Amino acid sequence: MPRNDHEFQAFIQRVIESPVFTMVMISTISMNALIVVLWTYPEVRYQLFRMFEIAQILLLANYFLEFFMKVYVNPIGYWKKGYNLLDVFIIIICMFPYSFRVIKGMHYSYLNIVNGLQTLCILKLIVYSRAIRTLITSVGQTAKIVASVIILLFLLMFIFAILGFYLFGTSELGDLDNWGNLAVAFFTLFSLATVDGWTDLQQELDERNFVFSRIFTVTFIVLASFIFLSMLVGVMIIHTEDSIKKFERELKLERHQNRIEEKQVILKRQQEEVSYLMQTQQNINYKSFSDLVESFKKTLNHTDPIVLDDFGTSLPFISIYLSTLDNQDTTIHKLQELYYEIVHVLNLMLEDMPQKQESQSFDEAG
């Protein structure tokens, strides 16, 4: 069913895309984040509890207003974008604290968890930051490669966990706290992969006189930390740089497109003005367009722009322009000749100066 409110829809669209609306929403999200921070202080929460509740209601109302405006502009396309779905999810999460306090009361056992989830409201800034969306997109594009690297790392940890269990965790004198079973061995290998406290783990193995412990530890750290994790970081950096370059190209393309649109608007306005002048010429019966322009100039003030005819495509202008170029070439040629004459005269003067000095010294000697 076709819509009959295109003008109002276009108006709401302009409001949503305006910088003022963006700043209002960013300020609202920042205010919500500040309230979440202040809520962590018991004294402030106790003294400003009512104010926090009123502010939370106003912030939710602002979120819902934004939601309804966007759905009104594009009822179907709104639900096709992942960031909009994230926005709806955050709005629902922000409703939980106030709703649970009203329904369940202040002493609800899971109210603290619900209040903690309210920190997700800061994620609404993603919708208003194109740079952050670009980074998230780059992370999403690397998901398959990252998943492959993580699977390889998991297989490596699985092999070394089984090997570490049989080497260091089966005997009574073994390190049962770190290698006693597969789950504990996985946690130990995770510490080795992040190179966090690996010296303490190795010292415990050295105290029990395990022969291959150092070879085991060094081999796993080289494979897991220096190869797999470095590979993971490298993949992320490469894709992030590609996304940033793509983002910069898109910005340049948008700026170029905006300049073209501005030029088209100016050209269209000029064409309308020239058409209006041509129509005026036909109505008032001027002899030529130049007479119309001259007559129009007499009505202008010194601050008004002067309207000129489209002389750039007229034969008289082309003739005058070519003549001007010829005169310019002739002038430049004459200036070059004059410079050559000046240089020649200066050269002669420099050649005569030693002779004059010798004649003066001879006269003084005589």
Side-chain angles (χ1 to χ4, degrees):
M1 182 177 179
R3 300 181 61 164
N4 298 323
D5 55 348
H6 296 290
E7 295 182 358
F8 187 69
Q9 181 185 10
F11 171 74
I12 298 297
Q13 180 70 27
R14 290 194 299 271
V15 171
I16 294 174
E17 295 176 353
S18 64
V20 177
F21 183 82
T22 302
M23 290 303 300
V24 169
M25 292 307 304
I26 292 175
S27 301
T28 302
I29 298 168
S30 302
M31 183 63 67
N32 196 353
L34 179 61
I35 291 174
V36 172
V37 172
L38 294 176
W39 193 267
T40 59
Y41 295 91
E43 295 180 356
V44 178
R45 184 171 68 243
Y46 177 76
Q47 295 176 359
L48 304 177
F49 179 77
R50 292 300 178 188
M51 190 186 74
F52 285 165
E53 278 196 338
I54 295 173
Q56 193 173 21
I57 294 173
L58 294 177
L59 294 174
L60 284 174
N62 199 357
Y63 292 157
F64 275 105
L65 178 62
E66 176 203 18
F67 167 73
F68 288 126
M69 290 174 66
K70 290 183 177 180
V71 171
Y72 175 80
V73 171
N74 193 359
I76 299 176
Y78 178 84
W79 305 100
K80 295 181 180 180
K81 295 182 179 180
Y83 294 112
N84 292 333
L85 297 178
L86 176 64
D87 204 6
V88 174
F89 174 75
I90 294 172
I91 293 174
I92 296 173
I93 292 296
C94 291
M95 289 176 57
F96 283 168
Y98 181 76
S99 301
F100 275 83
R101 281 196 298 269
V102 173
I103 299 173
K104 299 291 185 178
M106 291 295 299
H107 301 289
Y108 182 59
S109 58
Y110 297 104
L111 187 60
N112 291 330
I113 298 176
V114 175
N115 289 329
L117 291 176
Q118 196 177 5
T119 56
L120 295 175
C121 67
I122 197 68
L123 294 178
K124 280 180 65 67
L125 289 174
I126 296 175
V127 181
Y128 295 97
S129 177
R130 188 173 179 181
I132 297 177
R133 293 202 305 268
T134 302
L135 291 176
I136 293 176
T137 302
S138 66
V139 172
Q141 292 174 351
T142 60
K144 293 182 180 179
I145 301 176
V146 170
S148 301
V149 175
I150 291 176
I151 291 173
L152 288 175
L153 181 61
F154 174 79
L155 294 177
L156 178 70
M157 292 179 66
F158 178 79
I159 294 172
F160 273 82
I162 298 295
L163 185 60
F165 169 75
Y166 283 109
L167 289 176
F168 315 125
T170 55
S171 63
E172 295 180 356
L173 299 177
D175 188 2
L176 301 179
D177 294 334
N178 296 317
W179 303 97
N181 54 58
L182 188 61
V184 172
F186 258 102
F187 280 105
T188 303
L189 290 175
F190 183 78
S191 298
L192 293 178
T194 57
V195 200
D196 181 21
W198 71 274
T199 54
D200 296 333
L201 295 172
Q202 182 59 41
Q203 185 177 359
E204 293 180 4
L205 294 177
D206 291 338
E207 291 176 353
R208 292 173 172 79
N209 298 322
F210 287 110
V211 180
F212 301 104
S213 62
R214 294 193 175 187
I215 298 175
F216 177 88
T217 302
V218 172
T219 303
F220 180 78
I221 290 176
V222 169
L223 292 176
S225 180
F226 295 160
I227 296 179
F228 283 96
L229 293 182
S230 299
M231 184 189 305
L232 182 63
V233 173
V235 168
M236 296 295 296
I237 291 174
I238 292 172
H239 281 79
T240 302
E241 289 180 352
D242 294 339
S243 299
I244 292 174
K245 291 179 181 179
K246 182 180 178 181
F247 175 65
E248 292 176 351
R249 289 195 299 268
E250 290 177 354
L251 284 181
K252 290 181 180 179
L253 183 62
E254 288 183 0
R255 291 170 184 168
H256 180 68
Q257 188 67 27
N258 292 332
R259 286 196 295 267
I260 292 176
E261 291 177 357
E262 291 176 358
K263 290 180 180 179
Q264 290 178 350
V265 171
I266 295 173
L267 180 61
K268 183 179 179 181
R269 186 173 67 248
Q270 291 178 349
Q271 291 175 350
E272 291 176 354
E273 292 175 353
V274 172
S275 300
Y276 174 73
L277 290 176
M278 295 296 292
Q279 186 177 1
T280 305
Q281 177 191 1
Q282 295 177 358
N283 295 334
I284 307 179
N285 296 324
Y286 283 97
K287 294 181 180 179
S288 65
F289 188 77
S290 299
D291 295 338
L292 174 63
V293 173
E294 293 297 329
S295 175
F296 180 73
K297 288 179 182 179
K298 296 177 182 179
T299 63
L300 296 176
N301 298 322
H302 68 282
T303 58
D304 295 332
I306 298 176
V307 180
L308 300 176
D309 54 341
D310 194 7
F311 57 87
T313 57
S314 61
L315 292 178
F317 169 76
I318 295 174
S319 177
I320 295 172
Y321 179 70
L322 294 177
S323 302
T324 304
L325 290 180
D326 293 337
N327 293 330
Q328 185 179 4
D329 293 337
T330 304
T331 304
I332 293 174
H333 181 68
K334 291 181 179 180
L335 288 174
Q336 289 178 347
E337 291 180 350
L338 179 60
Y339 292 153
Y340 293 151
E341 291 294 334
I342 293 173
V343 171
H344 180 66
V345 171
L346 291 175
N347 190 20
L348 293 175
M349 292 175 63
L350 292 174
E351 290 178 355
D352 293 340
M353 286 180 65
Q355 296 179 0
K356 290 181 180 180
Q357 291 177 357
E358 290 178 359
S359 61
Q360 288 178 359
S361 61
F362 180 77
D363 292 340
E364 291 176 356

